[in-house]
Amino acid sequence: MSTMFADTLLIVFISVCTALLAEGITWVLVYRTDKYKRLKAEVEKQSKKLEKKKETITESAGRQQKKKIERQEEKLKNNNRDLSMVRMKSMFAIGFCFTALMGMFNSIFDGRVVAKLPFTPLSYIQGLSHRNLLGEDYTDCSFIFLYILCTMSIRQIALQRMVRFVHNFTNNASVSQFSRIPSNIHRYFFLSSYPI
């Protein structure tokens, strides 16, 4: 039982480290680049401009105004596509790193029960939760299932919110170093359904 607990803690630690690695790669390859910053600013500017134009347009607006709005929407769509392409580079790097790490960790934890689930998983998830384990006790948990659960929750709940907070805070720091903290700070550290 103590080795199972040690394995569980090790997998949580591995998940934290790989999530930090993924966010670090994303920051190096995407967030700090001038191209990303320029495209993001352009998308935000165009979105605001388009919203203002849509608010001022009336039902009886001419075809000319509608065509202008369509052109701006197309331009915004192109910039969003370019922004996605900039992010794609980091996704490929992260995918390559995780594939290599997964192979190594799978060989280390192959056939070992790393945790006991408090429930029996649904039948279509049992192939993942009981992967490479002997026996018919489907509450036994394999490495891959625990690793995926930990990584998803750590990246979504903690790291991405922290990275967004730091990124937004540094962008707002040009106004004043400490005078302005975002009013929606609770969104970065707490579940959005439970605001402060």
Side-chain angles (χ1 to χ4, degrees):
M1 190 65 161
S2 65
T3 58
M4 189 184 332
F5 184 69
D7 286 345
T8 302
L9 288 179
L10 180 61
I11 291 169
V12 170
F13 178 73
I14 289 169
S15 298
V16 169
C17 290
T18 55
L20 284 171
L21 175 69
E23 291 302 319
I25 289 171
T26 303
W27 182 79
V28 167
L29 295 178
V30 177
Y31 294 135
R32 74 180 186 109
T33 62
D34 292 331
K35 186 175 182 180
Y36 173 79
K37 290 175 185 175
R38 182 180 45 78
L39 281 171
K40 187 172 184 232
E42 186 69 28
V43 165
E44 287 174 358
K45 187 176 88 174
Q46 285 178 349
S47 295
K48 288 177 185 175
K49 196 185 228 183
L50 189 61
E51 281 180 37
K52 284 180 184 177
K53 279 205 174 182
K54 282 185 176 182
E55 287 174 3
T56 60
I57 197 168
T58 61
E59 291 293 323
S60 61
R63 220 169 43 151
Q64 198 78 6
Q65 276 189 324
K66 288 181 181 179
K67 285 216 182 236
K68 270 186 178 180
I69 289 176
E70 286 176 10
R71 278 194 300 260
Q72 281 191 329
E73 285 176 342
E74 189 65 33
K75 198 174 179 183
L76 181 63
K77 197 186 306 182
N78 288 338
N79 281 339
N80 274 325
R81 189 189 69 233
D82 292 343
L83 201 57
S84 296
M85 293 305 286
V86 169
R87 289 182 183 141
M88 189 79 65
K89 182 172 44 172
S90 79
M91 284 188 235
F92 281 124
I94 290 169
F96 180 75
C97 287
F98 280 132
T99 303
L101 289 172
M102 254 337 192
M104 181 181 72
F105 292 135
N106 270 332
S107 66
I108 292 171
F109 292 102
D110 191 36
R112 284 171 47 185
V113 176
V114 296
K116 223 30 168 161
L117 298 174
F119 58 91
T120 303
L122 299 173
S123 60
Y124 58 89
I125 297 176
Q126 287 176 355
L128 189 62
S129 68
H130 201 72
R131 184 176 181 170
N132 293 340
L133 298 180
L134 300 175
E136 297 296 317
D137 184 6
Y138 290 109
T139 59
D140 289 345
C141 182
S142 66
F143 159 77
I144 191 74
F145 187 68
L146 184 60
Y147 175 77
I148 288 172
L149 287 178
C150 290
T151 303
M152 283 176 20
S153 58
I154 289 167
R155 284 195 75 196
Q156 290 301 316
I157 293 173
L159 288 178
Q160 288 185 345
R161 290 174 186 236
M162 235 173 24
V163 166
R164 279 190 222 121
F165 171 72
V166 170
H167 182 68
N168 287 341
F169 188 74
T170 56
N171 284 347
N172 293 337
S174 61
V175 174
S176 170
Q177 193 78 25
F178 300 104
S179 67
R180 196 172 124 174
I181 294 178
S183 61
N184 58 353
I185 193 169
H186 70 277
R187 290 178 56 208
Y188 299 104
F189 293 107
F190 304 96
L191 294 175
S192 56
S193 60
Y194 300 107
I196 294 176

